[in-house]
Amino acid sequence: MPLLGDLDSRAVATVLAALLGVLGAMVTAIIAAVVAVKAYKTQQREQRRQQRATFYAEAVRAVEDYAECPYRIRRRDGSAAARREITQHISDVKSRISFYTGWMAINGTDDVRAAYDTFVKTAQAEAGKQMTAAWLDKPTRRDRDVPIGTALPRAATDAARDKLLAAMKNDITSKPRWWRRSN
């Protein structure tokens, strides 16, 4: 028995309209799902970009903390407690720099890793000499001796930092790694 043979044209039109309605609802649901997935992926990508930017800023901060160590040394009061505090601070800063250097070696782009290594080595060379000289200076005894008056030279460190910041900015504003390069 033919099933469609019993239907008149009005019934066929009703069935087709119902099928089109179901198909339309399915297409709408699929489009909504695709839009939701794209929005989620965009949000996640932005969150990862923000996390990377924060991480990069903390890595720069670690080296900047090291570059500030000569000032801490020059302002010490000469006590054993001050020496312990300063040397512990320097040790902690070096440990943070080692952490960020290792992270960059594992996760950083070649440009960022190389620029960070250069920044670290340059800051260590400049600030290291300044720390040695600061330890040889007499300790600070009076409040009026705290202001140093002239900033310590750090042109090479600043230039290396500027190159690093450019590499970091390029990394966080460029396309995702899987899109940029093949491994």
Side-chain angles (χ1 to χ4, degrees):
M1 252 198 222
L3 187 62
L4 290 177
D6 294 338
L7 296 177
D8 62 2
S9 61
R10 195 175 271 163
V12 170
T14 303
V15 169
L16 286 176
L19 286 173
L20 287 175
V22 169
L23 184 61
M26 289 175 55
V27 168
T28 301
I30 290 170
I31 290 172
V34 167
V35 168
V37 167
K38 280 188 123 271
Y40 175 77
K41 284 184 176 183
T42 300
Q43 177 189 12
Q44 291 300 306
R45 187 170 34 254
E46 177 60 20
Q47 185 177 8
R48 285 189 299 273
R49 189 190 73 74
Q50 286 293 332
Q51 288 170 343
R52 184 174 288 269
T54 300
F55 185 86
Y56 282 168
E58 288 296 327
V60 171
R61 180 181 180 190
V63 179
E64 289 293 338
D65 286 349
Y66 185 83
E68 287 293 313
C69 288
Y71 294 101
R72 280 184 177 248
I73 296 167
R74 288 183 76 179
R75 291 182 175 117
R76 73 193 185 284
D77 65 11
S79 68
R83 278 191 304 280
R84 277 191 304 277
E85 180 184 329
I86 291 168
T87 55
Q88 183 62 51
H89 173 75
I90 294 169
S91 179
D92 292 344
V93 168
K94 285 182 172 184
S95 177
R96 286 179 25 233
I97 291 171
S98 292
F99 168 79
Y100 290 113
T101 300
W103 188 95
M104 298 284 181
I106 295 167
N107 296 303
T109 64
D110 292 341
D111 291 343
V112 171
R113 184 183 69 250
Y116 190 74
D117 287 345
T118 299
F119 181 46
V120 168
K121 288 174 184 167
T122 304
Q124 288 173 336
E126 278 186 336
K129 290 176 188 173
Q130 295 166 357
M131 282 189 257
T132 299
W135 282 116
L136 297 174
D137 285 346
K138 291 182 179 180
T140 301
R141 298 279 183 215
R142 298 174 295 201
D143 290 345
R144 67 178 178 196
D145 295 332
V146 170
I148 293 173
T150 306
L152 296 171
R154 52 174 284 164
T157 299
D158 289 344
R161 185 194 62 226
D162 290 345
K163 287 181 183 176
L164 171 62
L165 292 175
M168 289 174 165
K169 183 177 180 181
N170 182 52
D171 181 45
I172 62 174
T173 59
S174 63
K175 293 180 181 173
R177 283 189 195 179
W178 60 268
W179 186 266
R180 285 198 308 265
R181 50 181 201 174
S182 57
N183 287 332

